[in-house]
């Protein structure tokens, strides 16, 4: 696939390390992926959002203005191995 650009929003919720990520993988309809932040690592535990199964990790840069992600996305038609960069 060609590189894609879209906006995500990260929102704290629940416990001190939990976040919701809106717009992840360009998912719409107000759907949010849940993740845990420990130190400078984001953990995306295995979960299904809007019919797509996700899991992976991300690492924040020391300046906190960039996150490098590596995750899988499976919509039932095959597994996509995805690398993404978030820039604030």
């Amino acid at each position: 696939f060609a590189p894609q650009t879209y906006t995500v929003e990260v929102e704290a919720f629940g416990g001190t390390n939990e976040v919701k990520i809106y717009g992840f993988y360009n998912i719409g309809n107000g759907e949010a992926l849940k993740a845990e932040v420990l130190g400078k690592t984001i953990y995306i535990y295995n979960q299904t959002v809007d019919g797509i199964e996700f899991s992976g990790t991300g690492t924040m840069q020391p300046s906190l203005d960039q996150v490098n992600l590596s995750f899988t996305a499976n919509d039932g038609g095959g597994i996509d191995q995805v690398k993404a960069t978030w820039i604030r």
Side-chain angles (χ1 to χ4, degrees):
F1 292 98
Q4 299 177 19
T5 302
Y6 47 88
T7 301
V8 297
E9 293 182 34
V10 180
E11 170 185 292
F13 89 104
T16 57
N17 298 325
E18 297 171 287
V19 295
K20 287 184 179 180
I21 306 168
Y22 293 91
F24 191 85
Y25 203 66
N26 210 22
I27 295 172
N29 303 323
E31 298 282 345
L33 182 94
K34 295 176 184 174
E36 183 176 25
V37 179
L38 297 173
K40 294 199 181 335
T41 304
I42 298 173
Y43 295 94
I44 302 165
Y45 299 115
N46 192 20
Q47 63 196 280
T48 301
V49 179
D50 201 24
I52 304 170
E53 186 177 343
F54 295 99
S55 66
T57 60
T59 304
M60 289 181 265
Q61 297 301 310
S63 60
L64 303 179
D65 63 352
Q66 182 173 310
V67 177
N68 296 310
L69 297 161
S70 178
F71 63 93
T72 59
N74 184 354
D75 64 0
I79 298 174
D80 291 337
Q81 300 286 338
V82 183
K83 297 214 180 281
T85 302
W86 292 349
I87 300 172
R88 179 168 64 154

